[in-house]
Amino acid sequence: MKEVKEAKIDRSEQRLRELGYKQELKRELTSFTNFSVSFSVVSILTGLTSLYGTALNSGGPAVIIWGWVFVSAMSMCVAASMAEICSSYPTSGGLYYWSSKLAGRHGPFYAWVTGWWNLLGQFGCTAGIDFGLAILFCSVVSFKTGWEFERWHVVLVYFLILIIHGLINTFLVKLMAIMNTISVWVHIGGVLIILITLLVKTENKASASFVFTGFINNTGWSSSVYVVLLGLLQSQFTMTGYDASAHMTEETKNADVAGPVGILMAVGVSFVAGLGYLLALTFGIQDIDRVLSTTIGSPITQIFLDSVGENGALLLLIILLLAQFFCGNASITANSRMIYAFSRDGAMPGSKYLHRIHPTLKSPVWGIWLSCFVSALLGLLYLADQVAFSAITSIATIGLYISYGLPTFCRLVYARDSFETGPVSLGRLSIPIGIISCIWIVIITVLFVLPTLSPVDAKNMNYTVVIVAASAIYIFGNWYFSARHWFKGPVSNIDLEDNGNDFVAGSMNKQEVEEVVGADKAEYEIK
């Protein structure tokens, strides 16, 4: 007796199975919603807002504007290299999976290192985003009420924001796509509103000479070149998080195209919108001394206040608060998917819990709250040192970009001739763009652990170097003494002998599975 079944297999699910994984997350994101996650995490209204004052003191308007242009160009090279690899390997593991497959027999080592640096960067990114939101929120309350907030107030607000984001990611999974779509329009619409408002309402706009060539150095360092390089942190921290499109590919339709396009669009659209935002802010500076010495917590709040008054400033600040709120929420979404994927392959302590998808909520609940908890711990640094926020953003930038560069490095060194491209390919430009990407990542990795203020003392030291060094000791030490003996890289969760497999009903041999995987719509017989 023969029972004939028809298996309708989505092309993206088919590719995922070829990579060794069964479909566990709901695949319901479109190309636009995939892009919207990355765009929300990049969030030009978050990174550029949070570090605008830092950049003003480390180079001034010229570094803010031209630094954004230069860093965006470098980031597009990195993103293009990542997008090409993502098109070939569209899985939530993203970067560490790519490193494993591209490095050949060295795959487990590169997967381990890439995965852990990416996790560190994502924790730092989530912390930087939500901490920036907490500082801005306290600043808004301060200028409306005269409240003089302390550092511990900021930390408490930060903890509350993390809890809210954790609850949203846990219980409102079905609304995430809608929220990320709203986030895109808040960012784009917000930039347009701020741009038009400041250009129309600011009576004594800054001169073009000030905006495009003005240089400010309040760092204590005498080297202008060094100060300019320090000022790039604002732009480079903002241009992080676009790997979220890769981490969401297991929830995206047509993933081998939508994922890489999402990465590229996140950088491209962010560049255009960010440039408009920075020009509006910088032309809106009427008194640079008042902006730099503001007592209300945020230079941008002072710019808005000087240009449009209290009520107008409040409305513009609400736009920034909304954008940063959506950004932090999307960051935890992407972070939890990375934790889910990495623990699925047994690479994290407590992996048997962290890779579980809640049967009712359909979300990686353990991963969500681990992300919130570790980010909360990073926020405690602010209690010890006010410059800790810059350290957190540096950690995010360094961790993420090391993990961005390692797959490209493996592609150049180990798989230059063997790499099989997906639908999105760079063609002959792949190698030169990859080389530029790797060189740039080495530069910023060294740059952002260096001290930002002079003379250096215990209060203004860049503690990024301490955290990065401790992380490196853990990552490489754990590998040498333990993980190299048991971690073999990404592990397939498809058991061909498992009758409970959600892809194969009944028992099928390997050849039959391959025949099914090889078709978008297949009919098969179970005898």
Side-chain angles (χ1 to χ4, degrees), residues 242-260:
Y242 44 84
D243 60 313
S245 284
H247 296 304
M248 302 303 292
T249 50
E250 290 187 28
E251 298 167 72
T252 304
K253 301 170 185 175
N254 196 26
D256 55 358
V257 174

Side-chain angles (χ1 to χ4, degrees), residues 280-302:
L281 288 176
T282 312
F283 271 110
I285 296 176
Q286 298 181 77
D287 186 333
I288 184 62
D289 292 329
R290 185 162 64 241
V291 170
L292 290 173
S293 61
T294 181
T295 59
I296 55 177
S298 168
I300 287 180
T301 303
Q302 189 66 56

Side-chain angles (χ1 to χ4, degrees), residues 24-26 166-174 176 251 333 336-337 340 353-369:
E24 293 183 304
L25 298 164
K26 283 189 176 181
L167 292 172
I168 291 173
N169 274 271
T170 300
F171 297 105
L172 299 178
V173 180
K174 293 181 179 179
M176 295 302 293
E251 298 167 72
T333 302
S336 64
R337 270 52 178 182
Y340 156 75
Y353 299 106
L354 294 174
H355 84 280
R356 291 178 181 174
I357 301 296
H358 193 281
T360 304
L361 299 173
K362 297 298 181 184
S363 62
V365 175
W366 286 90
I368 290 167
W369 290 102

Side-chain angles (χ1 to χ4, degrees), residues 18 60 64 66 98 100 119 123 129 147 150 165 212 221 224 260 265 280 312 316 339 352 355 390 452 458-459 503 526:
E18 291 171 354
I64 288 174
W66 297 114
W98 306 344
S100 173
L119 268 180
F123 289 140
I129 292 165
W147 173 47
E150 304 289 339
H165 282 155
F212 294 108
W221 296 106
S224 297
M265 282 186 62
L316 297 182
I339 292 170
K352 74 174 185 176
H355 84 280
S390 293
T452 57
K459 288 186 177 181
F503 172 62
I526 300 179

Side-chain angles (χ1 to χ4, degrees), residues 80 83-85 87-88 256-258 260-261 264 419 421-426:
E84 181 180 51
I85 301 173
S87 183
S88 184
D256 55 358
V257 174
V261 169
L264 294 170
F419 176 66
T421 60
V424 177
S425 172
L426 298 178

Side-chain angles (χ1 to χ4, degrees), residues 263-410:
I263 292 171
L264 294 170
M265 282 186 62
V267 175
V269 176
S270 293
F271 164 66
V272 175
L275 185 60
Y277 179 55
L278 290 175
L279 287 172
L281 288 176
T282 312
F283 271 110
I285 296 176
Q286 298 181 77
D287 186 333
I288 184 62
D289 292 329
R290 185 162 64 241
V291 170
L292 290 173
S293 61
T294 181
T295 59
I296 55 177
S298 168
I300 287 180
T301 303
Q302 189 66 56
I303 293 172
F304 289 168
L305 197 58
D306 291 345
S307 297
V308 296
E310 278 196 18
N311 293 331
L314 181 60
L315 291 175
L316 297 182
L317 288 167
I318 288 173
I319 294 174
L320 296 184
L321 289 170
L322 281 173
Q324 293 192 24
F325 183 83
F326 283 125
C327 174
N329 192 64
S331 181
I332 288 179
T333 302
N335 199 344
S336 64
R337 270 52 178 182
M338 173 57 190
I339 292 170
Y340 156 75
F342 206 33
S343 61
R344 180 174 59 184
D345 295 322
M348 297 183 66
S351 285
K352 74 174 185 176
Y353 299 106
L354 294 174
H355 84 280
R356 291 178 181 174
I357 301 296
H358 193 281
T360 304
L361 299 173
K362 297 298 181 184
S363 62
V365 175
W366 286 90
I368 290 167
W369 290 102
L370 177 64
S371 173
C372 293
F373 177 73
V374 175
S375 298
L377 292 180
L378 287 174
L380 292 175
L381 291 172
Y382 192 69
L383 292 175
D385 189 352
Q386 229 170 353
V387 298
F389 180 70
S390 293
I392 293 170
T393 55
S394 294
I395 292 163
T397 306
I398 291 170
L400 287 176
Y401 269 89
I402 289 175
S403 69
Y404 291 176
L406 284 172
T408 301
F409 174 80
C410 294

